[in-house]
Amino acid sequence: LAEAVVVEVEGGDADILAGLGSAGATYLESTLTGGERVGISPWSQTLLAVVERMRPLRLAGAEDVVQLIGGLGAHSAQARANRLLGDLAQLLGASATFVAAPGLVANRTVRDSLLGEPAMQAISREWDALTMCLVGIGSLPPSEFLRASGNAVGEEDQAALVTAGAVGDVCHRFFDAAGAPVSTALDERVIGISADALRAVP
């Protein structure tokens, strides 16, 4: 961990979210100076709070903004996920790339079929070229926003993850209390950036 911004907030969840959003927006506005290829997690309430508080940059802050995991889901939640990506791209003067698939599918066969499509292969190449990622850190059980999207991990899979030692996730890539990856059959159902590709982003 090279840098941390600590936000002091009093109040309930809404106050915490507002404080994190303001601090995150200020940080990004001063950090993004152009040329970045930014990946973003679509199912994060915190990142949505950040983007809602950002101001348009006078100069382009990035070249591309790319979803890191499938953004299709229940209509109301999907609209928020798409707004998160679209608004950030507009604020940064960047192009937006959406992942037109769910974040979590029924089985490996469906995942492999989707990832084999030319459009998804092009997005995979964009994931490999990212210079920055903006992600939320998920918990077990999943947030209300993620549950509403239809992309949340079901109770049976949650139980398997707990048994395997998982405590949280980034883009449905789960980790234990020491930060080590936790591998389960769920990995074979995710339409999103791999854990290795995520770790490779500068």
Side-chain angles (χ1 to χ4, degrees):
L1 184 63
E3 186 177 6
V5 177
V6 179
V7 183
E8 185 175 356
V9 181
E10 293 183 3
D13 289 347
D15 301 299
I16 293 171
L17 200 59
L20 291 173
S22 296
T26 300
Y27 182 81
L28 287 179
E29 288 167 359
S30 62
T31 302
L32 292 168
T33 57
E36 299 281 6
R37 303 175 70 87
V38 181
I40 188 166
S41 169
W43 304 114
S44 170
Q45 292 171 295
T46 307
L47 290 179
L48 188 59
V50 169
V51 172
E52 285 174 344
R53 287 160 177 80
M54 285 184 68
R55 297 166 299 182
L57 302 185
R58 286 180 293 177
L59 300 174
E63 290 183 12
D64 302 290
V65 178
V66 185
Q67 275 183 343
L68 294 173
I69 187 169
L72 292 185
H75 179 71
S76 59
Q78 181 183 325
R80 292 172 70 189
N82 289 346
R83 192 176 88 231
L84 170 57
L85 179 78
D87 286 359
L88 180 63
Q90 186 174 19
L91 288 163
L92 300 182
S95 62
T97 300
F98 296 86
V99 178
L104 200 59
V105 294
N107 53 54
R108 181 176 183 169
T109 302
V110 175
R111 182 204 65 175
D112 290 347
S113 177
L114 286 170
L115 292 180
E117 292 292 325
M120 279 304 307
Q121 290 178 347
I123 291 172
S124 293
R125 290 192 291 273
E126 291 195 53
W127 288 335
D128 290 336
L130 296 173
T131 62
M132 174 186 286
C133 285
L134 306 177
V135 298
I137 300 175
S139 62
L140 288 172
S143 71
E144 181 182 340
F145 181 23
L146 185 56
R147 285 198 307 271
S149 77
N151 286 281
V153 176
E155 290 184 7
E156 186 176 330
D157 287 314
Q158 286 182 51
L161 286 163
V162 170
T163 300
V167 297
D169 78 290
V170 173
C171 296
H172 279 343
R173 304 303 181 181
F174 287 83
F175 54 84
D176 64 18
V182 171
S183 296
T184 70
L186 190 71
D187 291 325
E188 299 180 348
R189 297 167 46 203
V190 176
I191 304 294
I193 190 170
S194 69
D196 288 340
L198 189 59
R199 283 194 293 268
V201 177

